[in-house]
Amino acid sequence: MGCMFDVTGKRICITGSSSGLGYVIAKGLASQGAHVILNGRDKGKLDQARASLDQEGCPVSAYPFDVVDENAVAEAVAQIEVEIGPIDVLINNAGRQHRLSLEQFPLDKWREIIDINLTGAFIVGRQVASSMIKRKSGKIINVCSLQSELARRTIAPYAAAKGGLKMLTRGMAADWAPYNIQVNAIAPGYFITDMTQALADDHEFDAWLKQRTPAQRWGRSEELLGAVFLFASSASD
């Protein structure tokens, strides 16, 4: 009997994976034999990420597209399916944060946060699922957040988007379960990434976080890999 957590040969597309948590997940999956497909809007940054992983012995593919551009997503997914093959696992990881008190929050920033964190997962998820439905096989992992459940000052739009993503995950699971598609989410608390580095460097916030966290420390991105392997493999069938 093979390992039920095995991802060898699985084609796994990770949005927003040229840096941060997405990059760590990509490295972890690629190191275990998955065919990882990186994504980001910035082609230069994406190429650099691919080169870095290749140097570390984790060869990956890379496709630049904007998750909120419906046409670009459709073209990229079609290209991936022709050049690499059907996507077995989609990880909706692309995200954006902007911290400001809600009464001062500009409408354009609100729309950007909602679009990238929530609408992008819908657009990419729907496009990838259309092929999964035909094959009656697939897995989708949405990267939610502690803020899917809790609020904190200055990040209300982000919490609204991530709360919406939690319910979108449930909706996807309900709609697509009949086609043997499993949809789950991971919801990290405070992990040190590019997005949270400024908070980690803030001594007052760092002390507050450690005081309220039972483990008294920040999470390390690689500690999320166990959950990712569960939801990307047959262990979550």
Side-chain angles (χ1 to χ4, degrees):
M1 179 179 177
C3 176
M4 66 175 63
F5 295 94
D6 187 20
V7 295
T8 303
K10 285 186 178 290
R11 294 172 289 266
I12 304 178
C13 180
I14 309 170
T15 66
S17 49
S18 57
S19 63
L21 176 58
Y23 181 90
V24 172
I25 292 174
K27 180 180 177 181
L29 291 169
S31 71
Q32 297 302 309
H35 188 146
V36 172
I37 302 153
L38 300 180
N39 158 259
R41 292 192 299 180
D42 185 329
K43 186 178 184 303
K45 191 175 181 182
L46 196 62
D47 288 341
Q48 186 176 19
R50 178 174 58 179
S52 295
L53 287 172
D54 189 55
Q55 288 176 355
E56 295 187 58
C58 300
V60 298
S61 302
Y63 287 78
F65 61 86
D66 188 339
V67 297
V68 301
D69 184 332
E70 188 175 9
N71 292 331
V73 169
E75 291 174 5
V77 171
Q79 186 179 3
I80 290 167
E81 291 184 347
V82 169
E83 296 177 353
I84 296 176
I87 295 170
D88 299 304
V89 182
L90 168 66
I91 303 179
N92 280 312
N93 171 73
R96 184 63 57 85
Q97 177 66 289
H98 184 74
R99 298 179 178 89
L100 192 65
S101 186
L102 192 55
E103 75 277 4
Q104 299 174 325
F105 216 93
L107 182 58
D108 63 331
K109 285 296 183 182
W110 164 273
R111 287 176 172 152
E112 180 183 51
I113 296 297
I114 298 297
D115 278 353
I116 294 175
N117 290 285
L118 178 57
T119 308
F122 162 69
I123 292 172
V124 182
R126 181 184 59 176
Q127 187 65 44
V128 172
S130 65
S131 176
M132 291 178 171
I133 287 170
K134 294 173 185 175
R135 292 181 287 117
K136 290 186 165 49
S137 176
K139 293 180 181 291
I140 297 174
I141 305 169
N142 293 330
V143 180
C144 291
S145 168
L146 173 68
Q147 267 70 49
S148 296
E149 306 291 341
L150 301 172
R152 188 171 62 78
R153 290 182 65 251
T154 75
I155 57 170
Y158 182 81
K162 290 297 188 178
L165 185 58
K166 177 187 77 171
M167 294 309 299
L168 177 61
T169 302
R170 291 177 171 177
M172 286 176 167
D175 276 11
W176 298 334
Y179 305 104
N180 191 34
I181 300 170
Q182 293 83 47
V183 187
N184 289 284
I186 59 173
Y190 285 96
F191 286 70
I192 296 181
T193 65
D194 296 346
M195 190 182 291
T196 60
Q197 189 61 57
L199 295 177
D201 294 338
D202 182 322
H203 295 304
E204 184 177 349
F205 187 90
D206 179 65
W208 171 81
L209 174 71
K210 291 174 179 175
Q211 186 275 329
R212 71 182 295 279
T213 303
Q216 298 183 337
R217 66 173 177 85
W218 290 76
R220 295 184 289 271
S221 296
E222 60 271 15
E223 292 174 324
L224 293 168
L225 289 174
V228 172
F229 276 95
L230 167 64
F231 292 138
S233 68
S234 62
S236 61
D237 284 356

